[in-house]
Amino acid sequence: MASRNLEAILAALEQRGDVRREGKGWKTRCPAPDHEDTHPSFYLYPGGGGKCFSACSRYWSPRELAELLGIQLEDSGSGLTVAELAEAKGLPEDFLRSLGVTDGFTGAVSSRRPCVDIAYADESGEVKALRKRLSMDGPSRFIWRRGDKTTLYGLPYLAEIKRKGKVVLVEGETDAWTLWRHRIPALGVPGASTWKERFRPYLDGLEVYAWREPDDGGDNLLHAVSQDLPDVRVIGAPPDAKDPSDLYLLDPDNFKERMLGLIEAARPFSEIRAEAFSAEARECLAKASALLHSPNILNQLKDAIRATGFAGDTRPAMMSYFAITSRLLRAPLNLGYISQSASGKNAGVDASLPFFPATAFYLVRASSPRALIYNDEQFTHRIVILTEADSLPEDSPAASAVRSLMSDG
């Protein structure tokens, strides 16, 4: 985000009351209309976003914050430069350029706008992919160069990392830059949904730590990493920071000490999972005890299906229930309904879905032939439901993907 947009947000906050400089940002009262903030609890980051660290306990992007303050920001389509990005992240511009971060352009010749080019290189330093950062905020901040495949960010430093014997996995390039600036070994995963099993060999022999961001993306990334690195140690984000960059901007002078303390306090994922599962299992056991000891559990299931408003023969719905439950077995069931049109096939499947969490199944009502191939969803212990499977041509990519899911269990 351009510094003049930051200045606009800062000016609007100053009109509301006292604003004081703190770390790389500013501290003031929370601008949320339903929060009577008598003690300043809102922190404005150099990038223009801000977070309330008390009652609201949430982060506002620059666009959301501008809307909250009733001001208009310049169109983010104006682009982004290395100088602006460095200023927003509190890092020296020459440091970013020394890492191969450069000014670039995106768009057609007639509508070019500046962006920041971030090179992803292999262990030898050869650039394998290029990620372009278009803006500081907004839904489309990044694009990849056409044809590039994602990889870990920071692989040219892998030999040095292996000499140290440990590494911190973080989400994105900014956090990696912040840790490298303070001589903490790190590698960046370019997004919460981009972890791949092929990244694991790079980390062989290393003590791996993963920063867990306090949101769904952070949970999804940790879950994916833990599938390949079950001994990964989890760094819990403190209440006042979403990621290492936030932690640095809040208190640059004490950042390294705090970061090393969080690394020291990190716990193995397997230990955290065991504790969580143990507590959850006890709670679930207490809730499910009556069902588990019921001699007529299938009749209770039938009654529960009817209670949802389902009319007619309950057997199709119960068969769906069994198939979805089988996702927890080594060999899940593959089930196909065949009957004339409008006979209630989908209704039978849908009637079973309310009895499962959303993570138990992946529902495809309509999609492109390649949707299952170019998909970042996790399908382990998850049933894929295709409502119109007979419409897939046998030689199509979608049919091939379905056959692979079935044959591989």
Side-chain angles (χ1 to χ4, degrees):
M1 189 186 81
S3 59
R4 46 186 171 272
N5 283 345
L6 170 63
E7 291 171 359
I9 292 174
L10 188 57
L13 289 171
E14 287 174 338
Q15 288 181 354
R16 301 180 68 261
D18 181 54
V19 178
R20 68 174 186 271
R21 189 75 189 235
E22 185 169 304
K24 294 285 185 178
W26 297 265
K27 194 78 171 286
T28 186
R29 291 185 298 108
C30 178
D34 55 349
H35 181 191
E36 296 182 5
D37 192 9
T38 55
H39 299 287
S41 62
F42 182 82
Y43 189 81
L44 178 68
Y45 295 103
K51 182 175 180 180
C52 175
F53 289 104
S54 61
C56 301
S57 188
R58 64 151 293 182
Y59 172 86
W60 285 274
S61 71
R63 296 285 154 186
E64 293 172 322
L65 192 53
E67 184 177 345
L68 196 65
L69 294 167
I71 62 174
Q72 185 70 35
L73 296 185
E74 292 186 355
D75 184 3
S76 61
S78 59
L80 184 68
T81 66
V82 174
E84 291 167 346
L85 180 58
E87 179 184 5
K89 299 304 179 181
L91 297 169
E93 180 182 347
D94 58 355
F95 172 67
L96 295 192
R97 293 189 182 278
S98 73
L99 300 174
V101 181
T102 60
D103 289 305
F105 292 93
T106 185
V109 175
S110 59
S111 58
R112 275 190 171 181
R113 57 193 176 110
C115 68
V116 174
D117 285 350
I118 304 169
Y120 276 63
D122 62 14
E123 293 168 87
S124 69
E126 182 181 351
V127 175
K128 295 295 186 180
L130 192 68
R131 197 180 193 206
K132 291 176 174 287
R133 182 156 191 168
L134 311 180
S135 64
M136 285 303 304
D137 70 300
S140 302
R141 291 178 298 155
F142 296 96
I143 59 172
W144 289 93
R145 185 175 60 186
R146 184 175 298 177
D148 284 348
K149 292 184 178 180
T150 58
T151 187
L152 291 178
Y153 183 65
L155 290 179
Y157 311 114
L158 189 58
E160 180 182 349
I161 288 171
K162 291 199 169 184
R163 283 194 294 271
K164 294 184 177 181
K166 61 177 63 177
V167 66
V168 179
L169 287 179
V170 291
E171 187 180 332
E173 305 90 6
T174 300
D175 293 332
W177 297 335
T178 302
L179 294 180
W180 294 343
R181 178 69 177 169
H182 293 85
R183 300 188 180 281
I184 297 174
L187 290 172
V189 182
S193 63
T194 58
W195 173 265
K196 306 294 181 185
E197 189 276 336
R198 57 185 165 83
F199 297 164
R200 184 196 57 76
Y202 292 121
L203 305 171
D204 284 346
L206 290 172
E207 190 172 305
V208 182
Y209 297 78
W211 179 284
R212 181 182 190 176
E213 295 193 6
D215 55 22
D216 290 343
D219 289 343
N220 292 338
L221 176 60
L222 183 61
H223 176 76
V225 171
S226 67
Q227 300 300 304
D228 299 311
L229 302 169
D231 295 325
V232 63
R233 302 181 73 88
V234 182
I235 302 173
D240 58 349
K242 177 177 180 287
D243 52 37
S245 179
D246 279 1
L247 189 68
Y248 166 67
L249 291 169
L250 282 168
D251 189 0
D253 294 337
N254 296 306
F255 167 75
K256 187 169 185 177
E257 181 181 353
R258 286 193 68 186
M259 187 68 205
L260 293 177
L262 291 171
I263 293 174
E264 182 67 27
R267 299 172 60 201
F269 176 80
S270 56
E271 181 181 304
I272 296 173
R273 181 176 58 182
E275 288 181 3
F277 280 5
S278 179
E280 184 180 12
R282 287 194 296 271
E283 182 181 350
C284 290
L285 180 61
K287 290 180 178 180
S289 181
L291 277 177
L292 291 172
H293 293 92
S294 171
N296 297 308
I297 189 169
L298 294 184
N299 286 335
Q300 289 184 257
L301 172 60
K302 188 183 301 183
D303 293 340
I305 290 172
R306 287 197 176 113
T308 66
F310 182 77
D313 190 347
T314 59
R315 286 178 296 176
M318 294 181 71
M319 289 166 61
S320 297
Y321 182 92
F322 300 148
I324 298 175
T325 301
S326 77
R327 76 192 190 281
L328 303 173
L329 304 177
R330 287 187 178 275
L333 297 176
N334 296 313
L335 178 65
Y337 289 102
I338 302 174
S339 69
Q340 62 187 22
S341 179
S343 59
K345 298 185 293 294
N346 288 337
V349 175
D350 290 346
S352 66
L353 301 186
F355 301 98
F356 296 94
T359 54
F361 57 88
Y362 182 72
L363 181 61
V364 182
R365 294 202 184 276
S367 65
S368 70
R370 300 179 183 272
L372 283 175
I373 301 173
Y374 297 101
N375 194 311
D376 291 327
E377 294 283 343
Q378 296 290 323
F379 292 105
T380 304
H381 297 306
R382 196 174 186 189
I383 291 291
V384 177
I385 302 172
L386 296 164
T387 60
E388 298 295 339
D390 60 344
S391 66
L392 300 178
E394 289 191 10
D395 59 348
S396 72
S400 176
V402 171
R403 287 194 293 271
S404 178
L405 287 169
M406 293 171 65
S407 63
D408 293 344

